[in-house]
Amino acid sequence: MRNVVNVSVSPKGTLETLSQIEVQQLSEAGSGSTYRLFRQCALAILNTGVQIDNAKAILEAYEDFEVRIHQQERGVRLELINAPADAFVDGEMIASTREMLFSALRDVVYTESELGSPRIDLTSSQGITDYVFHLLRNARTMRPGIEPKMVVCWGGHSINTEEYKYTKKVGHELGLRSLDICTGCGPGVMKGPMKGAAIAHAKQRITTGRYLGLTEPGIIAAEAPNPIVNELVILPDIEKRLEAFVRVGHGIIIFPGGVGTAEEFLYLLGILLHPDNESLPFPVVLTGPKSAEAYLQQLHAFVGATLGEEAQRRYEVIIDDPTAVARHMAKGLRDVTGFRRERNDAYHFNWLLKIEDGFQRPFDPTHANMASLQLSRDLPPHELAANLRRAFSGIVAGNVKDKGIRRIEKHGVYEIQGDMAVTAPLDKLLEAFVAQHRMKLPGGAAYVPCYRVVA
């Protein structure tokens, strides 16, 4: 039996003061595609803590959920109908949930309104980067003048208990060194480092610790924001979310995960392998507990087999040593600080990082697009990385995104084709993900692949 409530909520923190025109825009957003997008994000935020990683299942479970946006003198008020009751305590919405709800409203409305602005140019690489910058600046993510200390943590949302505890230990070591945490904002690896850092920040009497969560509408229902996030930003699509990670993050730690983590890792390697980024310092660590060593070595071997030794040199593999991970990252961030100071580059946004057009364009994982991906060792490594990233992106869509799941139901599984030198290690890696329950939450229904790899 679902437990739901009807309630009225006013903003706190993000949208306390608005101009009359802004209020008018928000209230007008109560219909059409913008409203449906916000409703989906709001439902995911209200479902924080629910162990379901299927966007379609969550949307269907609360088909009668509604959000009504009302204009009032000092801003906006949200009326929630048939909202999940777990988001409330004694009739009051949990403070972190309320903050994130209005962050979602801010980002969805701003994203839509900016698309019609003459200053937005999504036809050029520089224009897309500028758009990402404006989205982050509107969310007040930029903190000019603060030396680099934002560590991005990537990894799975459905990891086992031992791997989760390890992420907390690493987060704790990072927090003791006064470093901030940025993740995809959901459960698992996206929560553990934040939790560890929050305890460490308390020990160090740091009251300004940042726990930045970056997400996008297509994935938010499967990875609902965890309550430690104190800055939530919803980017329009996966590509802009990924660019936001590498523009605001100063170093990246990759923990065990599944296809989503592999997608992020390949995106990062593809960028770092671009000749223009050869001398740019960007510390990257691949790490996990001893029990995950086989998985980490599989991923490391896959990178070597497909992208070569040069790609492997762009990151460090550290097994079962949270202190070594934090020390390596802290040293790397000092190099980043020196590099940016010498070149007068901003600390708060990585302008010098070259990101090619192919990494910025949204990839629509239709069956035709998945089948036509070029997967060949003859391609330059950064281009092959981009195509492998798209393949993993399609599998993520088929696993957990509402639109992707419906496509698989209608047309059958995706076909991924390519040279044997690429498809053989790819198939082997995906089989390992399935065997290790890295495709779905452990204990759930048996995984049914949404793809077939063809040599």
Side-chain angles (χ1 to χ4, degrees):
M1 180 69 182
R2 285 182 322 150
N3 197 0
V4 296
V5 298
N6 298 331
V7 71
S8 179
V9 190
S10 295
K12 184 178 182 182
T14 306
L15 285 173
E16 282 179 323
T17 56
L18 290 170
S19 72
Q20 288 184 333
I21 290 175
E22 285 171 326
V23 172
Q24 194 177 348
Q25 287 174 333
L26 289 170
S27 57
E28 285 174 353
S31 61
S33 60
T34 307
Y35 169 75
R36 289 194 296 274
L37 192 61
F38 174 60
R39 177 188 173 274
Q40 179 179 328
C41 294
L43 186 54
I45 289 165
L46 294 166
N47 262 294
T48 292
V50 176
Q51 294 296 299
I52 300 174
D53 66 345
N54 184 315
K56 181 168 171 270
I58 289 173
L59 292 170
E60 288 177 351
Y62 292 93
E63 278 184 325
D64 56 355
F65 169 68
E66 286 183 51
V67 189
R68 293 175 186 166
I69 303 171
H70 298 286
Q71 182 173 347
Q72 55 188 30
E73 278 302 309
R74 291 176 299 280
V76 292
R77 178 172 55 85
L78 297 181
E79 185 184 354
L80 307 177
I81 299 163
N82 296 318
D86 288 345
F88 301 83
V89 176
D90 298 336
E92 289 286 323
M93 184 178 283
I94 295 168
S96 60
T97 303
R98 183 160 69 152
E99 261 181 30
M100 288 192 278
L101 193 61
F102 283 94
S103 293
L105 184 57
R106 172 202 68 205
D107 292 339
V108 169
V109 171
Y110 184 77
T111 298
E112 293 297 314
S113 64
E114 277 295 280
L115 284 174
S117 168
R119 73 179 179 190
I120 298 301
D121 172 24
L122 297 181
T123 63
S124 70
S125 178
Q126 183 57 47
I128 293 171
T129 296
D130 198 56
Y131 181 47
V132 171
F133 174 82
H134 282 295
L135 294 171
L136 292 169
R137 188 175 67 178
N138 181 65
R140 301 176 191 171
T141 301
M142 308 298 185
R143 305 285 170 87
I146 297 175
E147 290 197 354
K149 60 174 182 173
M150 183 63 78
V151 180
V152 173
C153 296
W154 282 342
H157 69 287
S158 58
I159 54 173
N160 62 42
T161 304
E162 188 175 353
E163 289 170 357
Y164 176 70
K165 287 179 178 175
Y166 182 79
T167 69
K168 282 204 296 185
K169 289 176 183 175
V170 172
H172 186 259
E173 291 294 331
L174 295 171
L176 288 175
R177 289 160 179 80
S178 304
L179 303 179
D180 291 323
I181 307 293
C182 172
T183 75
C185 90
V189 169
M190 291 167 276
K191 181 180 179 183
M194 288 184 170
K195 200 166 187 179
I199 294 167
H201 287 161
K203 288 181 179 179
Q204 295 283 30
R205 298 297 184 259
I206 295 170
T207 58
T208 55
R210 299 181 66 192
Y211 316 107
L212 174 62
L214 304 179
T215 186
E216 55 103 2
I219 205 79
I220 192 171
E223 299 173 0
N226 74 72
I228 301 167
V229 171
N230 61 9
E231 295 178 50
L232 175 68
V233 186
I234 300 175
L235 284 303
D237 53 56
I238 192 70
E239 285 77 13
K240 290 173 187 64
R241 179 197 191 200
L242 287 170
E243 179 161 358
F245 276 124
V246 297
R247 295 288 185 191
V248 301
H250 302 114
I252 295 182
I253 298 173
I254 295 150
F255 293 97
V259 282
T261 305
E263 177 190 359
E264 292 167 338
F265 191 27
L266 287 161
Y267 171 88
L268 177 63
L269 289 177
I271 289 170
L272 296 180
L273 286 170
H274 192 283
D276 289 2
N277 296 325
E278 189 177 356
S279 63
L280 189 136
F282 202 106
V284 181
V285 178
L286 185 62
T287 190
K290 186 71 178 171
S291 60
E293 183 170 10
Y295 161 80
L296 296 170
Q297 293 300 348
Q298 281 169 336
L299 195 54
H300 181 60
F302 171 76
V303 170
T306 55
L307 303 177
E309 290 182 9
E310 178 58 34
Q312 290 178 318
R313 283 195 285 270
R314 292 303 314 223
Y315 60 89
E316 195 79 20
V317 180
I318 300 175
I319 308 294
D320 203 28
D321 194 340
T323 304
V325 171
R327 284 177 177 161
H328 181 85
M329 188 53 60
K331 180 185 179 300
L333 295 188
R334 288 193 290 273
D335 294 339
V336 171
T337 303
F339 181 86
R340 295 202 191 178
R341 186 179 289 137
E342 284 172 15
R343 288 159 180 77
N344 290 318
D345 191 29
Y347 288 151
H348 57 274
F349 194 82
N350 195 350
W351 289 108
L352 289 179
L353 190 70
K354 170 70 176 177
I355 301 181
E356 279 200 333
D357 189 75
F359 289 86
Q360 297 174 308
R361 298 283 171 201
F363 174 67
D364 185 18
T366 62
H367 283 67
N369 286 344
M370 288 289 282
S372 62
L373 286 173
Q374 278 189 284
L375 301 178
S376 167
R377 286 296 304 267
D378 295 335
L379 291 172
H382 66 282
E383 289 183 22
L384 175 56
N387 286 338
L388 283 167
R389 199 282 296 178
R390 293 184 182 107
F392 282 110
S393 182
I395 296 171
V396 171
N399 281 352
V400 300
K401 293 188 180 182
D402 180 48
K403 191 175 180 180
I405 293 167
R406 293 180 193 277
R407 277 176 172 165
I408 300 299
E409 288 174 351
K410 186 176 181 180
H411 303 293
V413 299
Y414 291 127
E415 280 205 352
I416 302 170
Q417 306 175 28
D419 295 353
M420 180 70 81
V422 177
T423 57
L426 174 62
D427 203 23
K428 185 178 177 183
L429 185 69
L430 290 170
E431 283 176 5
F433 285 170
V434 175
Q436 295 168 9
H437 304 288
R438 295 191 183 276
M439 294 292 202
K440 288 279 183 179
L441 288 170
Y447 178 67
V448 179
C450 65
Y451 61 88
R452 179 168 61 249
V453 178
V454 183

